[in-house]
C-alpha cells in the first residue's frame, strides 16, 4: 500500500515484582487461575527490567522470537496464549476508532525480541517481567487498551502483577473464565518513598524445581497449602493492604517474613518435599532476626521465592548499616568493590556491640552480590527508535 511503512515497531520495558503475600497453587492450569490472592511490590526498572521490541510486517513469513539475542521457540503454549489473546482483542477493537500506531493487518506475522538487563543465571524471576513486557508491547503495537493483566496472567501468574507499579494485589477471582482474576494497584510507587529493597544473590550450584511444576505438586499433596489458601491468606491480604496504606514497617515486615516462611513450609509439606532455601538462605533468615532483635524492632524483612536468593525490605535509614552487616557476615571474594550493585550506599561503621550480637560466624563468598533497588512504576513505552532491539530488516540488531 502506498505510503505504508513496511515495518511497524514498538519497544517497551516492564518490571520485576516480588510477592509479600505469595501466590502458590492453581485452580485452573490452562487459564492460570490461582487458589489464593497475592500481593507484591513492583521493583524499579533502573535496576531490573525486561525490554521487548515487537515488529509487524507484511513481509514476515512466520512469528519469530529472540530471547537475550538467541532464537527461541515461538510455539510455547503460554506465549501462544498471549499472542492469541492480544490478536483477539485487537480484532475486537477494529470495529471501534483507529487505535493502533498505524493500520495493521492482523494476518501479518510478528517478530519479538526481548532482553533482560540482569543475568538470567542470577536466578531472579524473569518470566513475570518477560510476559508483562510482551503483553504491554503487543498492546501498543495493536492499539489495544483496557484490562491487560488478565492476558499477562496467562503467560505466567505472577506476570499480571508486573503490569502495574508500586504495590499491587492480584485478586484470585471466582469466575471459571478468569475475567475477574486481575491485578489492581493498592498504592503507587511514590506512596512509600523510604522503602528500599535489597536482593541478596546467593551463590547457588543447582537450579531448583520450577514454580509451575512445584506448585502443582503442592496443590496435589499439601494439606497445609489448602489450609493456607482457605483460612490464612484472605485475612493476611486485608492486613497487608492496611500496613501498606499506613506505611507501617513493623507490620509490613513481620507479615512479609511470616508469609514467606509459610510458603516454604507448604513446600516442605509437599510430597515429595521441595526445598528452595539453602544453608545460606537460612543464615540470612537468622541474621535478619538477630539484627531486628538487636534493634528491638523490625528493621529488615526477608522474603524468598522459588530459589535461595533473599529479597530484603528495609527503610532508607537502615540501608548503610545492613549492607555493612551483610558484608561482614558474608565477606566478598575478589569482587569486593562490586559487591553492591544498583543504588548506592554509604560506608557505615558498626559498633562492637552490634558486631558481637549480630555477626556470628562469617561465611566468605556465600553471597555473590547485593542489588539495591526500590519500588518502581509499571511498564513503560520507549519512544527513541535507537532503542529498538529489531533492525529495519526485522531481525535482532547486533548490539541487542
Ligand atoms: C514463589 O508466576 O512463576 O514467585 O504461574 O506457573 O508461571 P506460573 O508461576 P509463577 O510463580 C511465582 C511463585 C512465587 C510467588 C509469587 O510470585 O507470588
Amino acid at each position: 500500500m502506498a505510503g505504508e511503512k513496511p515495518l511497524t515497531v514498538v519497544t517497551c520495558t516492564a518490571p520485576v515484582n516480588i510477592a509479600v503475600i505469595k501466590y502458590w497453587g492453581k485452580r485452573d492450569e490452562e487459564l492460570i487461575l490461582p487458589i489464593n490472592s497475592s500481593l507484591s511490590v513492583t521493583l524499579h526498572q533502573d535496576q531490573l527490567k525486561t525490554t521487548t521490541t515487537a515488529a509487524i510486517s507484511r513481509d514476515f513469513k512466520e512469528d519469530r522470537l529472540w530471547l537475550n539475542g538467541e532464537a527461541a521457540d515461538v510455539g510455547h503454549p503460554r506465549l501462544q496464549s498471549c499472542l492469541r489473546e492480544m490478536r483477539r482483542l485487537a480484532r475486537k477493537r477494529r470495529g471501534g476508532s483507529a487505535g493502533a500506531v498505524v493500520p495493521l493487518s492482523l494476518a501479518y506475522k510478528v517478530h519479538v525480541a526481548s532482553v533482560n538487563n540482569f543475568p538470567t543465571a542470577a536466578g531472579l524471576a524473569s518470566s513475570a517481567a518477560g510476559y508483562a513486557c510482551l503483553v504491554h508491547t503487543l498492546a501498543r503495537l495493536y492499539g489495544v487498551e483496557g484490562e491487560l493483566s488478565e492476558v499477562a496472567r496467562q503467560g505466567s501468574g505472577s506476570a499480571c502483577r508486573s503490569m502495574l507499579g508500586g504495590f499491587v494485589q492480584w485478586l484470585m477471582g471466582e469466575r471459571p473464565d478468569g475475567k475477574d482474576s486481575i491485578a489492581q494497584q493498592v498504592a503507587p510507587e511514590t506512596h512509600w518513598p523510604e522503602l528500599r529493597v535489597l536482593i541478596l544473590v546467593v551463590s547457588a550450584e543447582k537450579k531448583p524445581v520450577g514454580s509451575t511444576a512445584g506448585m502443582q505438586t503442592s496443590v496435589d499433596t499439601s494439606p497445609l497449602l489448602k489450609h493456607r489458601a482457605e483460612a490464612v491468606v484472605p485475612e493476611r491480604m486485608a492486613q497487608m493492604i492496611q500496613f501498606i496504606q499506613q506505611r507501617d514497617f513493623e507490620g509490613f515486615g513481620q507479615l512479609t517474613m511470616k508469609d514467606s516462611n509459610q510458603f516454604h513450609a507448604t513446600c516442605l509439606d509437599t510430597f515429595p518435599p521441595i526445598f528452595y532455601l539453602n544453608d545460606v538462605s537460612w543464615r540470612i533468615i537468622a541474621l535478619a532476626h538477630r539484627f531486628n532483635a538487636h534493634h528491638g524492632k523490625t528493621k529488615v524483612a526477608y522474603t524468598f521465592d522459588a530459589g535461595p536468593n533473599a529479597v530484603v525490605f528495609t527503610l532508607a535509614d537502615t540501608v548503610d548499616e545492613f549492607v555493612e552487616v551483610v558484608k561482614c557476615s558474608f565477606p566478598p571474594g575478589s569482587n569486593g568493590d562490586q559487591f553492591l550493585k544498583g543504588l548506592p550506599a554509604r560506608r557505615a561503621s558498626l559498633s562492637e556491640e552490634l558486631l558481637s550480637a549480630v555477626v556470628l560466624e562469617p561465611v566468605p563468598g556465600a553471597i555473590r552480590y547485593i542489588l539495591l533497588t526500590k519500588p518502581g512504576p509499571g511498564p513503560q513505552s520507549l519512544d527513541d527508535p535507537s532503542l529498538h532491539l529489531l533492525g529495519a530488516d526485522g531481525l535482532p540488531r547486533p548490539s541487542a
Side-chain angles (χ1 to χ4, degrees), residues 19 23-24 26 32 78 156-158 161 211-212 215 263 305:
Y23 147 55
W24 196 250
K26 298 178 184 67
I32 311 199
R78 288 174 169 202
S156 180
S158 53
R161 300 185 311 235
S211 345
T212 307
M215 70 174 77
F263 155 50
D305 280 342

Side-chain angles (χ1 to χ4, degrees), residues 47-48 68 116-126 201 341 368-369 371:
Q47 282 74 45
L48 297 166
N68 293 313
N116 297 327
N117 70 343
F118 53 94
T120 316
L124 303 169
S126 58
V201 179
K341 299 178 198 283
R368 279 190 11 224
Y369 61 88
L371 181 71

